[in-house]
Amino acid sequence: MNDLVVEGKIFLWSRGIVEGCVGIKNGRIAEIKKVARGEEKIRCRGVILPGGVDIHVHMREPGMTHKEDFYTGTVAAACGGTTAVVDMPNTFPPTDDLDSLREKKRLAEKSAVDYGIMVALTEKLGSQVRAAEEATGIKWYYGTTTGAVGWGDAKKGVSVLAYIAGQSDRCQGKLLTVHAEKGDGTGDNARSLEEHSRMRSVEREVEAVEAIGNTVKKAGEETKRDVNEWFVFNIAHVSSPMTVETARKHGFRTEVTPHHLFLDTGMALGPLGKVNPPLRSKAERMGLWKKLVSGEVDVVASDHAPHTFEEKNIDFPEAPAGLPGVETRMPLIFYEVKRGNLDLEMFVGLVSRNPAKMLGVPKGEIAIGLDADLAVFSFQNVSRVMGEKLHSKCGWTPFEGFNAIFPDTVICRGGVVVRDGEFVGERGWGKYLGGNKADGVGEREH
Ligand code: NCD
Ligand code: ZN
């Protein structure tokens, strides 16, 4: 007998939607059948999808818990259909060695959904191979941004990566997310969205990706160590179609955020829209949609970077960069599925299946043996995003008034975390994703 049965229209990868039951036992998917019996049964009106995986969030712990913490941030994730998140290392103190990683793991135990933790790529990591082994992935801040640790030196970065991969095969096959913007912080005193975009230009993003790509290639030829085979290179928050092309040329994956897809410099957001890399013009934004729809983008991640409204709503040059978005990521894009702008399979690939594979975690699909992470969305359930109704501690959203479809039911490892659109989960339900090898690393065609 199953612990729980979820019945309705189930989305199965490469098969599409079938009517039936997902049987859940001990937190895993035990059967997928026309009829199944369980202790409890939930009948769903919407479409049953795998829970979302958001590989780029800032939960602000330790050091900035007035903006967010692991509990509030993961409640927000759950309410948006996301059942696993990956936290970034730009906290105070930064997550850049074994002690800070273990401390963050302890703080993250309060999470309501599953979580991964990234360590920062710095010279220190070379002497902290255990930290790289234990972390879910590595974040490379190539270029400056809010609270970043690291450096924009491609040669140094690649040599530390080659070193740690050579020291331990447990470091190989991990997700390596790169904040690729060339420069030294010029542009951080811009006075408007347009100026910010001009100063932290698309060219600087492209140049950074080129520099990293060329260095990886050169190092591979010199040392016969192909770090692009050893790590899953993911270029974070790519803001323009040109950067997508450059990243793909070098065999890198790309991640795109909802804010670069839905917001642009023509909108009256002022400092509330300040983010790195900056929002671009409407033409760039539409170009990014084209890349997404044509299958050239691997992941949609939120880059959930909460700052309070008071912190953001000041003079543009002083306002911190970063936008909240973990709760609205799937709802905003799912609304585009309803409108016919993106097909359902591509949606699932971008928000759930691809990121799960890049992390090497047993999630991202409704299949026997995988974690029972489900998110049920009804096409009829259109609402407008309202900052005051969201669950992030920061209390506002740059997507105020946008149409979206929030999930009715969300299940994380068999535990119901959202019912009828309300959070019903538990503090501490989430588990650490660990540090895994991505699926198929080394076998990928470039
Ligand atoms: C992020 C933040 O606030 O932590 N800010 C941002 O503009 N995206 C840092 C980052 O990811 O660059
Ligand atoms: Zn970020």
Side-chain angles (χ1 to χ4, degrees), residues 217-232:
K217 188 154 176 265
K218 210 162 146 230
E221 287 160 3
E222 279 167 18
T223 63
K224 306 274 175 273
R225 287 179 169 185
D226 189 349
V227 296
N228 201 15
E229 288 291 321
W230 281 351
F231 294 95
V232 181

Side-chain angles (χ1 to χ4, degrees), residues 11 13 29 49-53 83 348-349 351-357 361-367 370-371 373:
F11 175 83
W13 187 258
I29 297 171
L49 304 178
V53 178
T83 46
V348 171
V351 299
S352 182
R353 188 175 185 264
N354 299 347
K357 283 192 168 294
V361 293
K363 296 180 180 291
E365 249 184 85
I366 301 178
L370 296 196
D371 287 354
D373 292 357

